[in-house]
Amino acid sequence: MRSGSAYAIVAALLWGTSWVATGLALHSFSSMASAAWRGLFTAAVLLPVIVIPALRAHRSLLAPMLHIERGRFLRYLVLATLGGPGFIIGMTVAVGISGATIAAFVAGAYPVVAAAGAPLVLGERPSRVAFAGLGLAFLGALLMAGFDIGGLRLDGLMVASGAALSFGIFLLLARRWQGPWRMPAAAVTFLDFGMAGVVAALICLVGGGGPLVPGGTPAEPWLAIAYLAVAPGLIGTLAVLESVKRIPAASSSAFLMLNPLTAAVLAAPVLGERLTPVQLLGGALVLAGIAMATLLVARMSVPTRAPAHT
């Protein structure tokens, strides 16, 4: 197995656990407060990963910020906005509005957005069979969630759709820009979660998202947020950013379809949810679609790399 595929699988499995952890956190925190603490905790955990190498190399921490090229700065800002407030806050709010159905919808949508946009953004040309595999996996994800469009709140659906679109575009642009513009995965991840945390915290402080620290909060929600920061947040996002640099977006996106499958498996023992026969069928379709889309990687055309500073 290629290293890029391994990174994508690790990311998908860790992100799959985030739905259960988010459900635990939302028992005490508002959606906005949960997003704020998750973002700030993840940025705090990641800060030493950025600071220590700079100190070892005897570099000033301010120099890269003061002398950063305008083009790279703008690209960092775009990625931080898409992957931070666009996805982290959007997804958390959508889960708070409409629950697990919306969460599964978001989990199933952004890999398809990335795969569908790859020919336009990256010049990748996955085969029709690979696209069929992605579609099959997406259908399986919807079945696992018991997807019922008639039972969804319109506001939750709109927020979730926006979050899915935001992160799908984030994956594509991260693959296009990281190498040519020398944008380390750690820096991109730090900015994603840092911006999400700051924006969500400010919304809470001005009274638009509930209290940052609800009274009488037990330890369990704090532990859930800490887990969200370290495992899905830090490790998962670094893993997916490494994967999109190494393998085509269609392949990386297909592996990410393991996300809802992991969530459904863990929800049974932790939240007491049980898979119905329809959801079991959906899980089988997810696995079949992943196999369909990823076993054909060798037949995909070589992706077109963007030249530097474009």
Side-chain angles (χ1 to χ4, degrees):
M1 180 182 295
R2 299 193 302 176
S3 61
S5 299
Y7 279 119
I9 291 173
V10 168
L13 294 176
L14 290 176
W15 283 358
T17 67
S18 68
W19 312 118
V20 176
T22 299
L24 294 174
L26 291 178
H27 286 167
S28 297
F29 290 96
S30 68
S31 297
M32 201 61 64
S34 176
W37 287 115
R38 179 184 181 183
L40 294 174
F41 280 10
T42 302
V45 170
L46 187 58
L47 188 58
V49 179
I50 299 174
V51 171
I52 292 175
L55 294 178
R56 288 178 175 175
H58 304 291
R59 297 197 307 266
S60 169
L61 295 177
L62 294 178
M65 300 178 187
L66 295 175
H67 298 91
I68 190 171
E69 300 170 63
R70 181 181 179 185
R72 186 183 300 132
F73 172 80
L74 292 176
R75 283 163 175 78
Y76 270 128
L77 182 62
V78 169
L79 291 181
T81 302
L82 291 170
F87 181 68
I88 297 167
I89 295 179
M91 185 188 73
T92 306
V93 170
V95 173
I97 293 173
S98 301
T101 302
I102 285 293
F105 177 79
V106 173
Y110 66 76
V112 176
V113 172
L120 296 175
V121 178
L122 303 175
E124 296 177 0
R125 294 293 185 269
S127 70
R128 294 179 180 178
V129 178
F131 270 115
L134 284 168
L136 188 64
F138 182 47
L139 174 61
L142 298 183
L143 289 177
M144 291 185 68
F147 189 71
D148 177 14
I149 190 69
L152 292 178
R153 284 178 51 177
L154 181 59
D155 52 355
L157 178 61
M158 292 178 63
V159 173
S161 299
L165 180 63
S166 181
F167 200 66
I169 297 173
F170 168 86
L171 291 175
L172 292 171
L173 295 181
R175 177 168 171 79
R176 181 178 178 89
W177 291 341
Q178 275 187 274
W181 285 88
R182 302 182 301 280
M183 301 168 70
V188 174
T189 304
F190 175 80
L191 292 174
D192 286 351
F193 283 92
M195 180 179 286
V198 169
V199 170
L202 289 175
I203 293 174
C204 288
L205 291 175
V206 298
L212 268 176
V213 184
T217 304
E220 185 181 70
W222 284 110
L223 292 175
I225 289 178
Y227 173 81
L228 283 169
V230 175
L234 174 61
I235 302 174
T237 304
L238 287 175
V240 79
L241 288 173
E242 290 298 326
S243 78
V244 297
K245 290 193 300 183
R246 290 170 165 79
I247 58 178
S251 177
S252 179
S253 298
F255 279 120
L256 292 177
M257 301 300 287
L258 282 168
N259 188 333
L261 181 62
T262 303
V265 170
L266 289 178
V270 177
L271 300 178
E273 299 178 4
R274 294 291 182 268
L275 295 179
T276 65
V278 172
Q279 289 174 317
L280 290 173
L281 173 61
L285 291 179
V286 169
L287 293 179
I290 290 171
M292 214 175 180
T294 56
L295 292 178
L296 297 173
V297 172
R299 299 182 184 180
M300 293 181 180
S301 59
V302 177
T304 300
R305 291 289 184 179
H309 308 311
T310 59

